[in-house]
Amino acid sequence: MTTEFHRDAEVHRDAWGIPHLRAGTADELARAQGRVTALDRAWQLEVERHRAQGTSASFLGVRALPWDLFARRVRLDDTARRCFTALERRDPETAHWVRSYVDGVNEGLAEGGSAPEFAKAGLARGRWEPWTPLGIWLATHILFAGFPAKLWREEAVRHLGPDAVGLFATDGPGTSGSNGWLVGGERTTTGLPVLAGDPHRYIEDPGVYQQVHLSCPEFDVVGLTVPGVPGIAHFGHTGTVAWAITNAMADYQDLYRERLRRTGAGVEALGPDGSWHRAARHTETVDVAGEESVEVEIIETERGPVVIGGPEGLDGGIVGEPDGLDGGVTGRPGGLAMGISAPPGTPPSTPPLAISLRYPPRVSGDLGFTALLALLRARQVADVDRAFDDWAEPVNVVQAADTEGGLLHRVAGKVPLRAEANRIRLVPAWEPGHEWHGWHEPPRAGLTDDGIAVMANQRGPATPLGVEFAPGHRADRITALLGRREKWSAADMPAIHMDTHLGSAAPLLDHLAALTDLTPEAAALRDRLLAWDRRMDADSTDAAAYAAVRGAVVQRLAAHPAFAALAEPPAYPEVFLPWLALLPRVGFALEHLLRAGELYGIDRPEEVRAALEETAAGPSGTWGDSHRLAPWRALTETDTGTPTPAPRLSGDHDCVLCTSSVPGLTDLSARGPSARFVWDLARRDDSLWVVPLGASGNPASPHHHDQLPLWLKGDMAPVITDWHLLEPPVKETDV
């Protein structure tokens, strides 16, 4: 077999184009990982770098402006710099390792290769700074915890009263989840544990996870990494220990109402001591391709950066509204005015309110990157446990197992200790009692008496740290499936990944069962659905009929006059609007809304009846006809002129096969399993993995979408760690 060397590293590719890297030291390996990632994913890396800096509108145009404005105001790039500076003090070795990765990225970007999006967008490759990976991590996860849900609760209470604070509680828009399960050795065919799962994120092209094999004398690890970030943070297998995470659904970001005033010297904020305090202030310019640039005023109080609103006359922090952008930031007239009106009864002389965000990395200067190198060096569960003691962002539930029988099930990450009110809604910055005073001790759990541990974002060990969690359907279904046999192997696990039973269907079906005096067509449809096996299979006409009835119910509830005040979202920045749209809120909370004791006078049986009659009169088809994969791309098909076929999908939001769409709005799925994995502790090469598309970000590569057929069918590629079984490496310039 031919061996190829690049600087100090040996680079191999397997049949799926997945990079397998060997080097003499951890730093040399990090450099090779950065370089190979840049060769495979140059366009993706540069898009993510610009998003972290708030400069993506400079080549993507006005549609990227809302994000850039948010990234500037929330101080993503500055926070990444702070965290890297702190990392250099706290852990110089890991900081140097991150620098090595960045050096490799810059080498790979300079080498170029084929990435047609650069020419289409008119973008030149840039240069990475040592803190760029930290910025990418922040940009990926700053909205992960869903703090805008507090804005939604505020609006629900304002319009519907205090009882509405939890009315739409669910793992709703913007929230990312996962399935994860750990099967102890007493329940496996080998006598050693198996870990399996699938992270649910927005499906992006190129993918948000990258398969990689990293080997040096200190460690040999396979896993799924976030492109642009060194090491393997979330899902890894060292041969003797494996780990995986799910979103803990913890609440660790706070929104403060701020009273700001402009003075001759700058901006001041009213503090909890009753005094005005100077706020940090400066302006930045955001370039917009094809439009005039936009100046944004950056303000930071003692709580944190102001992300909405500002002092009177600030116009929400946007200085000099550009021509042609009316509504371009929020998608509605006057959209650039982001100020928030004061509550009723506020004296006219009181300055208007703004909203600041307090989030752990900005406060502590720590992203948890000290864990990354320690995870690669882990040999036992105890090593993984110690590494995750340093974890910060985001807050995850960790499961791990080793070849000596060690098991781990814990929460990792920084959650502040503060008043209960902070977790639910916006709190006033000028009132005492809302300060942070330390961090929660992360909770721990164990296996059940049946020798398993299942996490699917439901209430579990992280319950004391969160507010809203996913319904228990996915977790309950995985638990039930694992109970169907006494012993499991790694090869058995993909069947669980692909299960399509919809546990959340019961409330709507119960309403249908109670209906009488239907038209013959509606009665026939009702009877079909009551006999349906509740599987959301792509070729199922019954699944399509259920989804159509469900969508019609969602539309009718969202259009009801009782919710009219919530139908028009407030004038917040556009980046927050997915959390403030009524129809998705109704769609994701439908199960709860149908079961609530009373719903603001809405006659739900009649709304369900009307939806059933409406659907019975319409066309029929299969679920896969409309439920199709719709990945996010930085350049749209309009930009590229190359439409991409949308594959048919099975599954649904509350299935184990969680291919999420928005009921009542669209059946297209933009979020789902962004990877699948099975880690076998008995023999690592019996492990399995797959991503939705492929290893390469280059559309011309044979490995751009070659894993898609596997992902659609529920198959997985074998994890190969024996270097003698790998195909001869190709020249990196051809990748």
Side-chain angles (χ1 to χ4, degrees), residues 453-539:
V454 177
M455 280 305 303
N457 321 114
Q458 82 282 15
R459 294 185 181 275
T463 297
L465 309 181
V467 178
E468 296 184 10
F469 294 83
H473 303 302
R474 286 184 283 120
D476 292 344
R477 182 64 176 172
I478 294 169
T479 301
L481 291 171
L482 289 172
R484 290 184 176 180
R485 65 174 68 178
E486 184 177 348
K487 301 287 185 178
W488 289 83
S489 70
D492 297 328
M493 294 301 173
I496 296 179
H497 286 97
M498 296 300 290
D499 187 80
T500 61
H501 184 269
L502 186 65
S504 60
L508 180 52
L509 295 177
D510 289 345
H511 272 278
L512 292 177
L515 295 178
T516 58
D517 299 326
L518 297 169
T519 64
E521 295 80 10
L525 178 56
R526 186 266 316 274
D527 293 344
R528 274 179 56 202
L529 293 179
L530 294 179
W532 169 48
D533 61 7
R534 303 191 188 187
R535 292 188 173 277
M536 299 298 287
D537 295 328
D539 59 357

Side-chain angles (χ1 to χ4, degrees), residues 84-115:
F84 186 77
T85 299
L87 181 65
E88 288 185 304
R89 293 194 305 268
R90 188 181 299 119
D91 187 351
E93 182 190 19
T94 298
H96 189 271
W97 174 75
V98 173
R99 283 183 179 272
S100 297
Y101 179 88
V102 169
D103 289 343
V105 170
N106 284 325
E107 286 179 9
L109 290 175
E111 290 180 38
S114 300

Side-chain angles (χ1 to χ4, degrees), residues 117-487:
E117 294 91 346
F118 284 101
K120 291 172 182 174
L123 178 66
R125 293 171 174 82
R127 182 166 185 81
W128 281 39
E129 300 291 347
W131 56 87
T132 300
L134 285 76
I136 288 175
W137 191 261
L138 266 174
T140 301
H141 295 105
I142 188 66
L143 294 173
F144 195 85
F147 72 82
K150 296 179 182 180
L151 299 174
W152 169 259
R153 293 188 205 118
E154 202 75 18
E155 291 301 305
V157 169
R158 183 162 71 92
H159 293 299
L160 299 177
D163 291 342
V165 68
L167 180 63
F168 299 90
T170 182
D171 62 330
T175 304
S176 298
S178 303
N179 296 321
W181 58 97
L182 168 59
V183 181
E186 67 273 20
R187 294 288 308 279
T188 68
T189 57
T190 64
L192 287 176
V194 172
L195 266 171
D198 50 3
H200 304 155
R201 297 193 177 221
Y202 284 101
I203 305 296
E204 299 183 12
D205 187 2
V208 298
Y209 281 112
Q210 177 189 31
Q211 300 144 298
V212 70
H213 180 190
L214 304 174
S215 183
C216 67
E218 287 188 83
F219 52 79
D220 186 287
V221 189
V222 294
L224 298 158
T225 186
V226 174
V229 178
I232 297 170
H234 283 164
F235 310 97
H237 195 329
T238 73
T240 59
V241 65
W243 67 90
I245 61 96
T246 58
N247 183 0
M249 307 295 283
D251 179 81
Y252 51 89
Q253 301 162 321
D254 284 355
L255 291 175
Y256 289 82
R257 294 186 181 274
E258 299 276 1
R259 284 179 176 160
L260 305 179
R261 71 181 184 185
R262 193 181 298 282
T263 69
V267 173
E268 293 180 339
L270 186 62
D273 60 356
S275 302
W276 292 92
H277 299 264
R278 178 70 57 83
R281 176 210 172 272
H282 69 278
T283 60
E284 296 181 5
T285 300
V286 182
D287 293 330
V288 184
E291 302 283 354
E292 295 291 329
S293 61
V294 176
E295 285 193 348
V296 56
E297 186 167 29
I298 311 301
I299 300 172
E300 185 165 8
T301 74
E302 293 176 355
R303 272 67 57 193
V306 173
V307 293
I308 301 173
E312 187 173 7
L314 188 59
D315 197 25
I318 309 300
V319 181
E321 182 176 333
D323 293 337
L325 289 184
D326 182 31
V329 176
T330 64
R332 47 188 303 209
L336 291 172
M338 300 177 193
I340 298 172
S341 58
T346 303
S349 60
T350 302
L353 302 183
I355 296 176
S356 63
L357 172 67
R358 189 168 180 82
Y359 60 104
R362 189 69 183 166
V363 173
S364 66
D366 182 18
L367 266 179
F369 268 45
T370 54
L372 296 182
L373 194 51
L375 282 172
L376 296 177
R377 291 169 170 162
R379 294 293 182 269
Q380 297 174 319
V381 155
D383 302 323
V384 173
D385 196 11
R386 281 191 295 269
F388 277 111
D389 281 342
D390 291 337
W391 194 249
E393 167 90 7
V395 181
N396 293 320
V397 175
V398 181
Q399 295 178 330
D402 63 32
T403 55
E404 298 180 12
L407 301 170
L408 180 68
H409 188 193
R410 62 164 292 184
V411 178
K414 288 185 178 294
V415 178
L417 292 164
R418 77 278 207 214
E420 179 67 16
N422 291 43
R423 304 191 330 145
I424 308 300
R425 294 172 57 187
L426 280 63
V427 293
W430 58 87
E431 291 184 2
H434 298 293
E435 301 84 2
W436 290 8
H437 46 90
W439 308 99
H440 277 276
E441 185 68 25
R444 294 173 176 270
L447 270 63
T448 67
D449 292 339
D450 293 332
I452 62 172
V454 177
M455 280 305 303
N457 321 114
Q458 82 282 15
R459 294 185 181 275
T463 297
L465 309 181
V467 178
E468 296 184 10
F469 294 83
H473 303 302
R474 286 184 283 120
D476 292 344
R477 182 64 176 172
I478 294 169
T479 301
L481 291 171
L482 289 172
R484 290 184 176 180
R485 65 174 68 178
E486 184 177 348
K487 301 287 185 178

